Amino acid sequence: MRRWGKLILCVGAGLLAAGCPKGRQQYDAGLKAETLQDYDTALQYYQKALASEPNNSHFRIKLNQIRFEAGEFHIKKGLALREKGDLQAAAAEFQRASTIDPSSPVAVQELRRTLDQINELAHKQDEQASGGEDIAGNELASSPPELKPLSNAPVNLKMVNDVKIIFDTIGKFAGLTVTYDPDFPARRISVDLNNLTLQQALDIVCMQSKTFWKPITENIIFIAQDTTQKHKDYDEQLVETFYLSNTVQSQDLTEIANGLRQVLNLTKVQQLNSQNAIIVRDTPDKLAIARKLLKDIDKAKPEVVVQVEVLSASTERLRDLGILPGQSASVTFTPPGSTTSSSSSSSSSTTPTGIPLNAGFSTADYTYTLPGATANFLLTDTKTQIIQNPEIRSVDVGSRVPIATGSFQAGVGVGTTSVNPLVNTQFTYIDVGVNVSITPRVHPNHEVSMKVAIEVSQVTGTATIGGIQQPIIGQRKIEHDIRLREGEVNILGGLFEKTDSKTVNGWPGLAQIPFIKYLTADN
């Protein structure tokens, strides 16, 4: 007996193991790995689950979701490594993220930026190895000279005199040589400088005398009138090329170039659409501001993944109980004395015009039809079901239904029924099903505002118009503006419809009596 029990237990365990699909086991293992934030392992399990059941939409949705989460995990890890200065490891993480989620533009942009930093660092190391003197000479030629006074002691000066004498006095304090523009006019000003740096003292005197200064060498400065023409004559202009990494279309590059012109009043700006770059020629100060603006503007466009679940919350219940009796009976009389004769060439029948009162009736003289009865015992129940559960940026799912649109000819078929006024029939297709339209906008605090429009439509019936069956489309639409944080769930709303109807079909009077109504009527 024990042997039979063990045998039955083994057979039952084998049947249970055979009944569990392999895809479900892989899916459960992926869920456990995802709970532990081991996204790479979870991705492998979900891929195996989908390979075993390719038509399982739930597995496919989960695979797309974990692909996005795994890519984001490697991107965040790469950013942390790049902040620490480990560019090689950061590039490997971005490469991994791009391989896992090829549709992620953030991974591609961060990988390109990291590789540029690696190449720039290698280029600097090569230049340093080639010779420091050449590098110092090139930097001196490519950038404006930096002022290096002999003394950095604070300037304390109180004087009322000609502006040239005041500049010369400050120059002697710092060990600088001061030169002037040939058109520099004489002007008497009063200054009171207390414990100021050299640059602050020069700026204050220039502001009072309406002049500007600029370094010529490390210990020589030049003074000129603060006019547009003098700035045009003496300001040094540099050329710099700015390469942008996150502009996709040429109009984006044009918009940035126009913004630089408006904000910085630049006149010499050239955009290169083929190189995705902007060339600017202006003073070092404006170039520094332009560099700061472009660094702030050239950001990767944020990516938004939205999970949408559309539910059809409908409950329909039908109960049909009772016996539906017959509602009509018929009796047909055949008068006695009716004769029928026939021959090979003709046939004739004779029917009396009346029924004698003294004639007797038999069952052969009439026929009757009695009503029948139908017993109904029916109960139907419809439960809530999910229509769609996609993970989207924008979704347009459903079928297309043809709608006939006609062109009419004036005067044809008017007032008559023989001519159809519809000359020719044209068909157009309407999207039917679940249509989701989402326009997201990412804010600096990592919140996302979305303009959402969800439309659920279906064909509820048909109607004949002009001899053509036209579909009747039921439509439910919700439009809403929402603002959510990352991972936050929002319920837009729902439309619940409840219809109660009661139909009684039976014999009058008896159909209203309790208990008897189930034998004489259908409820």
Side-chain angles (χ1 to χ4, degrees), residues 272-314:
L272 298 178
N273 296 329
S274 60
Q275 300 294 327
N276 205 28
I278 296 178
I279 301 176
V280 180
R281 180 184 177 185
D282 215 298
T283 61
D285 295 338
K286 289 188 176 181
L287 287 179
I289 299 175
R291 192 180 304 109
K292 176 64 170 58
L293 290 176
L294 291 177
K295 183 179 179 181
D296 295 338
I297 294 173
D298 190 21
K299 299 292 184 181
K301 292 184 179 180
E303 186 179 22
V304 177
V305 174
V306 182
Q307 293 180 347
V308 179
E309 183 170 320
V310 182
L311 296 177
S312 175
S314 62

Side-chain angles (χ1 to χ4, degrees), residues 228-247:
T228 304
Q229 184 61 38
K230 296 299 181 181
H231 278 286
K232 187 176 180 181
D233 294 339
Y234 294 111
D235 282 347
E236 294 183 1
Q237 291 190 348
L238 303 179
V239 177
E240 187 170 352
T241 303
F242 300 96
Y243 292 94
L244 305 180
S245 304
N246 300 295
T247 55

Side-chain angles (χ1 to χ4, degrees), residues 80-309:
L81 290 172
R82 192 171 65 183
E83 289 293 332
K84 295 179 180 179
D86 193 353
L87 299 180
Q88 297 293 340
E93 292 295 334
F94 294 139
Q95 181 67 39
R96 176 64 177 166
S98 178
T99 304
I100 293 175
D101 189 7
S103 63
S104 175
V106 179
V108 178
Q109 292 169 359
E110 295 298 336
L111 175 61
R112 186 185 301 116
R113 182 173 299 176
T114 305
L115 293 178
D116 292 340
Q117 292 181 2
I118 294 174
N119 294 332
E120 183 179 356
L121 182 61
H123 182 67
K124 289 182 178 180
Q125 292 177 353
D126 293 341
E127 287 183 348
Q128 291 178 359
S130 63
E133 296 181 357
D134 294 340
I135 296 176
N138 293 333
E139 290 181 354
L140 183 61
S142 60
S143 61
E146 183 179 356
L147 192 63
K148 295 180 180 180
L150 298 179
S151 174
N152 291 320
V155 178
N156 293 283
L157 178 64
K158 186 175 182 181
M159 180 182 296
V160 178
N161 210 326
D162 186 74
V163 64
K164 288 186 177 182
I165 298 177
I166 295 176
F167 276 120
D168 292 337
T169 304
I170 296 176
K172 290 179 181 179
F173 286 159
L176 300 178
T177 302
V178 183
T179 60
Y180 300 94
D181 178 67
D183 299 331
F184 191 84
R187 178 176 298 176
R188 190 178 182 86
I189 62 172
S190 173
V191 294
D192 189 359
L193 308 178
N194 294 317
N195 200 20
L196 298 180
T197 63
L198 174 63
Q199 186 171 357
Q200 291 175 346
L202 293 175
D203 291 339
I204 291 176
V205 176
C206 287
M207 183 175 60
Q208 291 182 347
S209 61
K210 296 182 180 181
T211 57
F212 71 94
W213 69 276
K214 55 174 296 186
I216 303 298
T217 61
E218 295 180 353
N219 54 4
I220 299 176
I221 62 173
F222 178 79
I223 309 295
Q225 287 182 287
D226 190 8
T227 60
T228 304
Q229 184 61 38
K230 296 299 181 181
H231 278 286
K232 187 176 180 181
D233 294 339
Y234 294 111
D235 282 347
E236 294 183 1
Q237 291 190 348
L238 303 179
V239 177
E240 187 170 352
T241 303
F242 300 96
Y243 292 94
L244 305 180
S245 304
N246 300 295
T247 55
V248 179
Q249 300 179 354
S250 59
Q251 36 185 296
D252 297 337
L253 203 61
T254 304
E255 183 178 359
I256 294 176
N258 292 334
L260 292 177
R261 292 188 183 98
Q262 295 293 331
V263 174
L264 301 179
N265 196 19
L266 300 178
T267 58
K268 298 177 182 179
V269 178
Q270 179 65 38
Q271 67 182 56
L272 298 178
N273 296 329
S274 60
Q275 300 294 327
N276 205 28
I278 296 178
I279 301 176
V280 180
R281 180 184 177 185
D282 215 298
T283 61
D285 295 338
K286 289 188 176 181
L287 287 179
I289 299 175
R291 192 180 304 109
K292 176 64 170 58
L293 290 176
L294 291 177
K295 183 179 179 181
D296 295 338
I297 294 173
D298 190 21
K299 299 292 184 181
K301 292 184 179 180
E303 186 179 22
V304 177
V305 174
V306 182
Q307 293 180 347
V308 179
E309 183 170 320

Side-chain angles (χ1 to χ4, degrees), residues 194-478:
N194 294 317
N195 200 20
L196 298 180
T197 63
L198 174 63
Q199 186 171 357
Q200 291 175 346
L202 293 175
D203 291 339
I204 291 176
V205 176
C206 287
M207 183 175 60
Q208 291 182 347
S209 61
K210 296 182 180 181
T211 57
F212 71 94
W213 69 276
K214 55 174 296 186
I216 303 298
T217 61
E218 295 180 353
N219 54 4
I220 299 176
I221 62 173
F222 178 79
I223 309 295
Q225 287 182 287
D226 190 8
T227 60
T228 304
Q229 184 61 38
K230 296 299 181 181
H231 278 286
K232 187 176 180 181
D233 294 339
Y234 294 111
D235 282 347
E236 294 183 1
Q237 291 190 348
L238 303 179
V239 177
E240 187 170 352
T241 303
F242 300 96
Y243 292 94
L244 305 180
S245 304
N246 300 295
T247 55
V248 179
Q249 300 179 354
S250 59
Q251 36 185 296
D252 297 337
L253 203 61
T254 304
E255 183 178 359
I256 294 176
N258 292 334
L260 292 177
R261 292 188 183 98
Q262 295 293 331
V263 174
L264 301 179
N265 196 19
L266 300 178
T267 58
K268 298 177 182 179
V269 178
Q270 179 65 38
Q271 67 182 56
L272 298 178
N273 296 329
S274 60
Q275 300 294 327
N276 205 28
I278 296 178
I279 301 176
V280 180
R281 180 184 177 185
D282 215 298
T283 61
D285 295 338
K286 289 188 176 181
L287 287 179
I289 299 175
R291 192 180 304 109
K292 176 64 170 58
L293 290 176
L294 291 177
K295 183 179 179 181
D296 295 338
I297 294 173
D298 190 21
K299 299 292 184 181
K301 292 184 179 180
E303 186 179 22
V304 177
V305 174
V306 182
Q307 293 180 347
V308 179
E309 183 170 320
V310 182
L311 296 177
S312 175
S314 62
T315 302
E316 298 179 3
R317 178 171 293 181
L318 172 64
R319 187 187 66 177
D320 190 359
L321 299 176
I323 299 176
L324 179 63
Q327 299 179 357
S328 63
S330 63
V331 179
T332 304
F333 287 94
T334 304
S338 299
T339 60
T340 302
S341 61
S342 61
S343 62
S344 61
S345 61
S346 64
S347 63
S348 63
S349 63
T350 303
T351 302
T353 58
I355 302 176
L357 296 176
N358 57 357
F361 290 97
S362 64
T363 56
D365 297 330
Y366 63 89
T367 60
Y368 60 88
T369 303
L370 294 179
T374 304
N376 296 320
F377 302 96
L378 179 63
L379 178 64
T380 61
D381 191 0
T382 303
K383 298 180 180 179
T384 302
Q385 57 182 346
I386 297 178
I387 298 179
Q388 293 292 337
N389 187 9
E391 180 177 337
I392 57 164
R393 293 180 181 89
S394 61
V395 166
D396 187 7
V397 292
S399 58
R400 294 177 66 83
V401 176
I403 303 294
T405 58
S407 61
F408 297 87
Q409 183 177 353
V412 177
V414 179
T416 63
T417 58
S418 59
V419 181
N420 191 347
L422 190 60
V423 178
N424 58 349
T425 304
Q426 300 174 352
F427 290 88
T428 183
Y429 285 83
I430 296 179
D431 294 326
V432 175
V434 181
N435 299 319
V436 182
S437 176
I438 297 178
T439 305
R441 180 177 295 274
V442 181
H443 300 282
N445 58 351
H446 300 288
E447 293 185 354
V448 181
S449 61
M450 294 181 292
K451 184 176 181 63
V452 183
I454 301 178
E455 177 184 343
V456 180
S457 58
Q458 60 182 349
V459 179
T460 59
T462 58
T464 303
I465 301 176
I468 301 176
Q469 285 191 348
Q470 299 281 357
I472 300 174
I473 300 176
Q475 185 184 55
R476 298 177 182 179
K477 189 172 183 179
I478 297 176

